[in-house]
Amino acid sequence: MERTLIIIKPDGVRRKLVDKIVQRYERAGLKVITLKKMKATPQLLKKHYSAHVGKEFYKALEKFMSSEVVAFVLEGNNAVKQARAITGATDPSKAERGTVRGDFGIDSAEKADKEKRAIENLVHASGTKEEAEKEIGLWFPGLKK
Ligand code: AMP
């Protein structure tokens, strides 16, 4: 059994896609073990996006991610890889049909870059098992391992 972290970003919350998005992961056999609606602090976001702090889009990303989000932990076989496949490519305009970003996404990297803002791509899904463990610890510090 493996665990991974999913965050429904402010665009997904605003568009009332929370239930639809959670179902996409559940129907693949992944189990939601905890879920909460919350607002992330700048400190949490800096830790979560430590790989991006200092990049030209970081400030815009932090601003975008500071509105209400829904974070949850999924558990299942190959949870990290499965959840990434269900999520789809970073750029919604290039994400495959059948993925969360491909089916619900309305933004593109090109448009976001032109407007100097973060790509609004509905969800974050941990990239590797190591990142998942780190991220679950950040967003759910009280969760039993
Ligand atoms: P990642 O760690 O790849 O998920 O990237 C973090 C998030 O930053 C992405 O999901 C996008 O919302 C945003 N992002 C990544 N690359 C760019 C970029 N070139 N321009 C604007 N936003 C970006």
Side-chain angles (χ1 to χ4, degrees):
M1 280 292 173
E2 197 172 277
R3 286 179 178 185
T4 192
L5 178 81
I6 306 291
I7 302 163
I8 303 184
K9 297 184 181 185
D11 53 331
V13 175
R14 235 177 269 129
R15 290 176 56 205
K16 304 200 185 308
L17 292 171
V18 172
D19 290 351
K20 279 189 181 142
I21 291 173
V22 172
Q23 281 166 16
R24 291 288 180 116
Y25 299 97
E26 285 180 323
R27 78 181 189 193
L30 297 168
K31 199 175 157 207
V32 176
I33 58 169
T34 183
L35 177 149
K36 66 181 171 188
K37 198 178 238 196
M38 62 178 282
K39 274 189 183 174
T41 61
Q43 292 89 318
L44 171 59
L45 292 169
K46 283 194 178 76
K47 286 181 192 159
H48 176 80
Y49 283 128
S50 58
H52 298 307
V53 175
K55 287 189 186 166
E56 77 276 23
F57 63 83
Y58 182 74
K59 272 216 170 86
L61 178 60
E62 189 177 287
K63 183 171 169 241
F64 167 54
M65 288 297 292
S66 296
S67 298
E68 203 154 64
V69 298
V70 171
F72 56 100
V73 176
L74 290 172
E75 190 172 75
N77 290 325
N78 273 319
V80 174
K81 216 173 154 190
Q82 268 213 81
R84 288 286 276 202
I86 294 163
T87 299
T90 301
D91 181 347
S93 70
K94 299 206 167 81
E96 282 181 44
R97 290 274 156 239
T99 65
V100 172
R101 288 169 174 163
D103 291 353
F104 300 122
I106 49 175
D107 199 16
S108 73
E110 199 187 343
K111 193 160 179 276
D113 277 356
K114 257 190 212 141
E115 295 171 8
K116 298 198 187 310
R117 55 170 179 77
I119 305 167
E120 300 192 356
N121 55 7
L122 299 163
V123 278
H124 164 82
S126 305
T128 64
K129 210 177 155 174
E130 293 68 38
E131 280 173 19
E133 275 161 27
K134 177 195 140 189
E135 292 172 2
I136 290 167
L138 288 173
W139 291 79
F140 292 94
L143 190 69
K144 249 174 77 185
K145 290 219 171 113

